Amino acid sequence: MTYTLLRQAIEKGRLNPGRVIVESSIAKLIGASRTPVKAAIAQLHSEGRLARFSGRGFIVQTSDSEVDRRPITADTLGLASDEAGALKVRSSEKLYAEVEAELVRCAIRGRLRINESDAATHYGVGRTVMHEVLLQAQSNGLVVRDGSSRWHTVALDENRITALYELRMLLEPEALALTAGDIAPSKLDLIALRLTRATASYPNVSPADLFKMEEDLHIDCVTACPNQEISESLRRTNCLHLASRYVLGNEVDLPKAEPFFEEHLNIISAMQAKDFSIVKSETLRHLQIALPKVIARVQSAKMALEPLNLPFVSDINPASA
């Protein structure tokens, strides 16, 4: 409901033209994670309601150059004072985790149509909540809307995985090198500790722990990149990490040898040393090694998936789509 909250505040003038909107501030105010806030802001930007400017964040679209940096409050968003910080219990964010797993499996199957109305009925929520869920999935590269505003999954096949990895190979080495100059040493130490412990205990590592270690480097560190244009561009590749989250150790057995711990440790060690050239070379090497592994895992998962049984999902005929 973050999208609806911001859109209505703009439409009713509470968020006036030129008002600065910063993702982290909105997330803190309403008690939500940054993911749905980022998705809502991206949607409002695509609709022309928000615009980029020379400072941090976005501004409400305006015809002049005046920038309004007044703090945004609960009242600005049309919330009662006791609602501020409570939106984290609202339906869309709670529902997203459940829907995400199904959408990942749908994307592995191919290009499937998602009926928003039927999905809302299936999960017992309103269309507004379901729309927010799908917007969040869109920001993670799982679904898109076609020219007729119909939702469908983006097939996570060999061609798309390869294309996404090519994007990562171009941008992620630079993103992590830039991040290495800013990130807190204590955070890098914690990431390294998790990897070292996992190496010692493998294969007694849970799928959740595997995803956390992928998230540490490829999502959290990339998101912390000071060049937000790079991190935003890489956001669409998050579907690769989500596929690993639901596939590795679930539909696909863990490999006999540890899957990426040593490669991640090499990157983290270079980041700790602020050796930016090594950060770049080790990241590129890691991505080149990972590509064929991920293709093989996703193909194996596709064969292992149970028959599709979701009333809001249907096949798309390539000849008519």
Side-chain angles (χ1 to χ4, degrees), residues 80-296:
S81 58
D82 59 356
E83 283 188 282
L87 291 190
K88 60 187 173 185
V89 300
R90 290 193 175 179
S91 299
S92 60
E93 194 168 350
K94 293 175 68 176
L95 177 60
Y96 179 75
E98 180 181 352
V99 178
E100 179 183 76
E102 296 294 357
L103 292 178
V104 168
R105 294 181 175 99
C106 286
I108 289 173
R109 288 181 172 93
R111 188 169 181 260
L112 306 179
R113 181 161 293 144
I114 309 294
N115 186 297
E116 183 179 296
S117 179
D118 289 349
T121 300
H122 177 74
Y123 289 106
V125 298
R127 282 284 296 273
T128 300
V129 171
M130 199 66 231
H131 187 73
E132 287 246 340
V133 167
L134 291 172
L135 282 176
Q136 190 169 342
Q138 182 181 40
S139 71
N140 283 325
L142 291 173
V143 300
V144 294
R145 280 189 291 183
D146 62 22
S148 301
S149 294
R150 296 172 298 187
W151 293 102
H152 61 80
T153 55
V154 186
L156 199 57
D157 55 19
E158 181 174 351
N159 287 338
R160 184 163 188 242
I161 292 171
T162 300
L164 290 174
Y165 262 90
E166 287 173 349
L167 175 62
R168 291 181 69 189
M169 288 174 196
L170 288 171
L171 296 182
E172 198 163 330
E174 185 67 26
L176 292 177
L178 289 170
T179 303
D182 288 352
I183 198 164
S186 59
K187 183 169 183 177
L188 294 176
D189 291 344
L190 181 59
I191 294 172
L193 179 61
R194 269 197 281 267
L195 290 164
T196 302
R197 286 176 173 173
T199 302
S201 61
Y202 193 81
N204 297 316
V205 178
S206 70
D209 287 338
L210 285 172
F211 178 70
K212 177 57 182 170
M213 287 180 284
E214 289 271 37
E215 184 181 48
D216 281 340
L217 182 65
H218 296 305
I219 297 180
D220 292 349
C221 286
V222 166
T223 301
C225 174
N227 186 325
Q228 287 296 294
E229 296 298 332
I230 292 179
S231 61
E232 282 296 316
S233 298
L234 284 167
R235 184 173 175 78
R236 282 192 59 80
T237 70
N238 281 359
C239 56
L240 296 169
H241 311 306
L242 296 175
S244 294
R245 179 181 192 177
Y246 297 111
V247 165
L248 195 57
N250 292 305
E251 273 82 10
V252 176
D253 291 337
L254 293 175
K256 292 181 179 179
E258 61 87 358
F260 56 76
F261 306 154
E262 182 181 352
E263 294 161 30
H264 278 209
L265 273 170
N266 290 340
I267 298 168
I268 295 298
S269 295
M271 291 177 73
Q272 289 172 316
K274 292 184 169 47
D275 191 331
F276 306 129
S277 63
I278 298 298
V279 171
K280 292 180 183 181
S281 62
E282 288 294 335
T283 301
L284 179 59
R285 175 177 171 272
H286 167 55
L287 294 173
Q288 290 169 336
I289 292 171
L291 173 57
K293 292 182 182 179
V294 172
I295 290 172

